[in-house]
Amino acid sequence: MLQAIQGIAFFALLSLVFALPASADTLPAGFVRLADVDPSIRQDIRYARTENFLRRKANGYDAPVCILTWQAAEALSGVQKAIAAEGLTLVVFDCYRPARAVSDMGEWTKAGGPPDPQWYPLVKRQDLIAKGYIGELSTHSRGSTVDLAIARSGAKSAPRPACGVSDAGTLDFGTGFDCFDPTSETAHRPLDKEAAANRKRLVEAMRAGGFRNYAREWWHFTLANEPFPKQRFDFPVTAD
């Protein structure tokens, strides 16, 4: 009888294991998909699409999904809750970035080419690394860095920026995301009064949530107490 009960229990456990979703073990320990923590945060993952400075999908982005360390995701959710009371939402453009994507971007610059008015209006393509606009290494590969903006909840359109890209309803930040130009520096002046105020609002909201800004990009933030400060990852960005 005992053996029969044990056999039934074993097969019940086996059935449960096979019933678990396939995504259960696809991410390294310590990483989560942002939608599983806070689905209210808008995701517009640009390197999984063609509307980015590469003008094609980046290597390693198999889905338009934000992946972060769970600490960064929880902290970002706290920021979202704080601004939601004002009828606003965060919009993330990039989160964890595989090391292979960083290498892909570096290799892309080697082809060279003239400035691109939408993405790097004053710099030649081959000079983007030397000028500091594209890194040979990226904090994004550590999993606690995010590129983002603030938008009005429910808004369906926003003016297209002269440089970079924006999402529906994005507030005016003076430039769009990934505008490789001095005007994207967080404290750049002169800057339209509204854009300067929106940059300040974003920096303050993110700082209150435990993130620090990269001064050359108003959209770029890293969790101050990131769990993997010296480790870079290279697993692909997938939906499950």
Side-chain angles (χ1 to χ4, degrees):
M1 177 66 72
L2 179 59
Q3 289 181 332
I5 294 174
Q6 289 175 332
I8 293 171
F10 172 76
F11 283 108
L13 178 60
L14 192 62
S15 299
L16 177 61
V17 169
F18 280 104
L20 288 174
S23 61
D25 61 349
T26 58
L27 294 180
F31 283 82
V32 295
R33 292 180 177 83
L34 179 61
D36 291 334
V37 174
D38 195 330
S40 72
I41 297 175
R42 188 181 301 168
Q43 297 189 32
D44 188 4
I45 308 303
R46 287 289 164 166
Y47 300 136
R49 301 168 53 183
T50 59
E51 193 177 4
N52 59 63
F53 70 89
L54 296 169
R55 297 189 180 275
R56 62 168 172 78
K57 183 180 76 68
N59 189 14
Y61 284 82
D62 297 339
V65 172
C66 174
I67 294 173
L68 291 168
T69 61
W70 73 263
Q71 293 94 332
E74 289 286 350
L76 204 62
S77 180
V79 177
Q80 175 77 345
K81 290 178 174 63
I83 68 171
E86 304 175 59
L88 301 171
T89 182
L90 295 174
V91 181
V92 294
F93 298 111
D94 193 32
C95 300
Y96 157 73
R97 183 184 304 169
R100 71 190 73 179
V102 180
S103 297
D104 183 22
M105 293 172 183
E107 287 296 317
W108 170 86
T109 66
K110 295 179 181 179
D116 182 329
Q118 183 178 356
W119 303 103
Y120 40 99
L122 303 177
V123 183
K124 293 180 179 179
R125 177 167 160 178
Q126 61 267 30
D127 295 331
L128 287 169
I129 290 179
K131 296 291 185 181
Y133 291 114
I134 294 178
E136 294 181 284
L137 297 175
S138 175
T139 59
H140 282 277
S141 299
R142 305 198 300 250
S144 296
T145 291
V146 60
D147 293 334
L148 77 173
I150 294 175
R152 297 175 185 86
S153 298
K156 297 182 179 180
S157 64
R160 185 183 182 91
C163 180
V165 70
S166 64
D167 181 79
T170 302
L171 303 183
D172 179 11
F173 287 94
T175 76
F177 161 65
D178 262 4
C179 173
F180 299 145
D181 188 78
T183 54
S184 292
E185 295 174 4
T186 307
H188 177 80
R189 297 296 183 273
L191 192 66
D192 178 86
K193 183 177 180 180
E194 181 180 358
N198 287 333
R199 290 186 186 189
K200 181 180 179 182
R201 170 186 284 181
L202 178 60
V203 169
E204 290 180 348
M206 293 296 284
R207 182 185 297 127
F211 292 85
R212 61 178 183 273
N213 175 241
Y214 173 50
R216 296 197 64 182
E217 298 175 347
W218 60 259
W219 57 79
H220 181 114
F221 295 85
T222 299
L223 187 68
N225 294 318
E226 58 180 314
F228 305 112
K230 297 182 180 180
Q231 188 171 351
R232 288 177 170 80
F233 296 84
D234 193 35
F235 61 92
V237 175
T238 59
D240 51 31

